[in-house]
Amino acid sequence: MNTTTIKQFYENFFGADCPDLNSIISENIHKDIGHFNVFDIAEMYKSFKSKLEMPYNRRTYYKISLISGQNKVEFADKTILIKDCGILFASPKIPYNYTPLNLEQSGHFCVFTKDFLAKSKIGLDIDHLPIFSLQSDFIYQITPEQFEEVNAVFLKMHTEIASDYEYKYDLLRNYLMELIHYGQKLKPILAVENVKTASARITALFIELLERQFPIENTTQVLLLKSPVDYADTLGVHVNHLNKVLKETTGKTTSEIIASRMNQEAKVLLKQTQWNVSEIAYTLGFEEIAHFSNFFKKHNQQSPLQFRE
């Protein structure tokens, strides 16, 4: 699965040689406010029709789309058809594919990074919002009346981002939160078909959670999810069910998959860094260096120092 950054998002639409690309990306970053931008779908569709189809991958940014038109959205084990009006809340947690099904496309979408909302006065952590959790329903059918309500918020975003008001990004955060709260009160669209099994969805999300903890890049970075229970709680399933699903889909237990990935990272750190063994043990979540040594010997038949030498 590929990962699309905010810069790659712009390159996909405007081309890597777009003269304004670097200024678009860096303007907000230099102000230390994260990144935010808003687009008109009808205008984008006229210029970049073929590029509105989003391949199945994971994005490092967040996106809220107000959609008018027929579209297909595929994520996890679900395929959703938007027959008229819908609103989509995309996050880095859930990969998805988006395909327009007709020529009549309109609405708006905004893209933003986690830092953008984190810079609000209340210091909001977007990952704690239900709409962006792994249990989120992701996409919602709305009425034409609801479409106009949300459309009004997007129009205010367009007006504000084009203004020279000194505190416009504070106001844009407020509009963004208005959209988020609006979405959290909606009911989801029912899936029309299953393209993957529920087990495959849980497996994919588990692997996503696991891989997002790596690579470990400094000695202050510590694994937050270490046990099967940690992953089960985050996914909102019972640990026994998670273990059963993973055993069926991968042939390995939850503990075996976690241990294998930790062992892989341990070998990389031992060979490619100058960190001492206790530092490596700490980043991998071991409170005692002896526990890490025993873990490493069990999987590699030699001690960490012997492996390093």
Side-chain angles (χ1 to χ4, degrees):
M1 185 185 302
N2 294 323
T3 299
T4 303
T5 65
I6 192 71
K7 183 176 182 180
Q8 289 168 333
F9 160 78
Y10 282 101
E11 290 175 344
N12 178 56
F13 282 105
F14 304 110
D17 297 327
C18 172
D20 297 326
L21 180 61
N22 290 331
S23 62
I24 290 172
I25 298 296
S26 63
E27 178 186 0
N28 295 352
I29 294 175
H30 288 165
K31 295 178 181 177
D32 193 30
I33 59 173
H35 182 79
F36 175 90
N37 210 344
V38 61
F39 302 88
D40 184 291
I41 289 178
E43 291 300 317
M44 296 288 283
Y45 198 70
K46 289 177 184 176
S47 303
F48 308 105
K49 176 181 175 182
S50 64
K51 297 180 180 179
L52 282 186
E53 180 173 349
M54 302 292 181
Y56 188 84
N57 62 19
R58 184 167 69 86
R59 286 85 178 165
T60 62
Y61 53 89
Y62 296 78
K63 181 180 181 183
I64 300 177
S65 301
L66 176 66
I67 305 160
S68 177
Q70 295 182 16
N71 297 270
K72 181 172 70 172
V73 182
E74 297 169 286
F75 64 101
D77 61 335
K78 299 178 181 178
T79 296
I80 301 293
L81 293 181
I82 305 172
K83 298 179 181 179
D84 188 10
C85 302
I87 184 168
L88 178 150
F89 295 84
S91 79
K93 296 178 181 178
I94 302 179
Y96 71 96
N97 176 72
Y98 176 89
T99 308
L101 299 178
N102 68 355
L103 300 177
E104 301 298 323
Q105 299 290 329
S106 62
H108 312 269
F109 68 89
C110 61
V111 294
F112 55 98
T113 59
K114 182 176 181 178
D115 287 346
F116 182 71
L117 278 185
K119 298 299 181 181
S120 66
K121 292 181 180 178
I122 59 175
L124 183 68
D125 185 350
I126 191 172
D127 289 330
H128 291 163
L129 294 170
I131 200 74
F132 291 118
S133 73
L134 286 166
Q135 289 76 42
S136 169
D137 291 305
F138 190 73
I139 188 165
Y140 304 83
Q141 187 84 40
I142 57 178
T143 65
E145 292 75 20
Q146 289 174 314
F147 180 93
E148 290 305 322
E149 291 175 0
V150 178
N151 186 64
V153 179
F154 271 105
L155 291 177
K156 289 190 287 187
M157 285 180 166
H158 283 290
T159 300
E160 203 56 49
I161 201 166
S163 76
D164 57 3
Y165 177 50
E166 183 179 359
Y167 302 103
K168 66 180 180 182
Y169 289 106
D170 291 327
L171 193 50
L172 284 164
R173 287 189 189 93
N174 291 336
Y175 294 150
L176 189 57
M177 285 307 303
E178 186 175 349
L179 293 180
I180 289 170
H181 286 300
Y182 194 98
Q184 290 183 162
K185 295 188 289 184
L186 294 173
K187 294 183 179 180
I189 304 174
L190 296 177
V192 295
E193 59 175 307
N194 287 329
V195 295
K196 298 180 182 179
T197 65
S199 294
R201 180 190 181 209
I202 292 175
T203 301
L205 294 177
F206 167 79
I207 297 300
E208 274 289 302
L209 281 177
L210 179 65
E211 287 301 325
R212 269 197 280 123
Q213 298 198 94
F214 302 98
I216 294 175
E217 298 176 326
N218 59 69
T219 55
T220 62
Q221 181 183 343
V222 182
L223 295 188
L224 298 178
L225 303 176
K226 295 175 285 187
S227 70
V229 172
D230 292 336
Y231 285 91
D233 288 346
T234 304
L235 292 169
V237 299
H238 193 279
V239 65
N240 291 341
H241 180 64
L242 176 61
N243 196 59
K244 178 176 180 291
V245 164
L246 293 177
K247 187 69 174 178
E248 290 175 350
T249 55
T250 70
K252 297 181 180 180
T253 66
T254 313
S255 296
E256 288 171 341
I257 297 172
I258 296 170
S260 176
R261 186 62 182 87
M262 289 172 61
N263 182 55
Q264 177 186 342
E265 191 70 11
K267 291 192 288 185
V268 169
L269 295 176
L270 285 167
K271 288 293 187 181
Q272 298 185 7
T273 74
Q274 299 299 315
W275 305 350
N276 60 46
V277 175
S278 62
E279 288 174 322
I280 294 174
Y282 171 76
T283 63
L284 291 172
F286 292 92
E287 296 182 0
E288 301 289 341
I289 188 172
H291 295 164
F292 171 65
S293 295
N294 291 336
F295 167 86
F296 195 87
K297 287 179 181 178
K298 176 182 177 181
H299 289 87
N300 303 285
Q301 290 74 54
Q302 57 183 327
S303 71
L305 289 178
Q306 289 172 329
F307 177 82
R308 171 170 272 178
E309 293 171 357

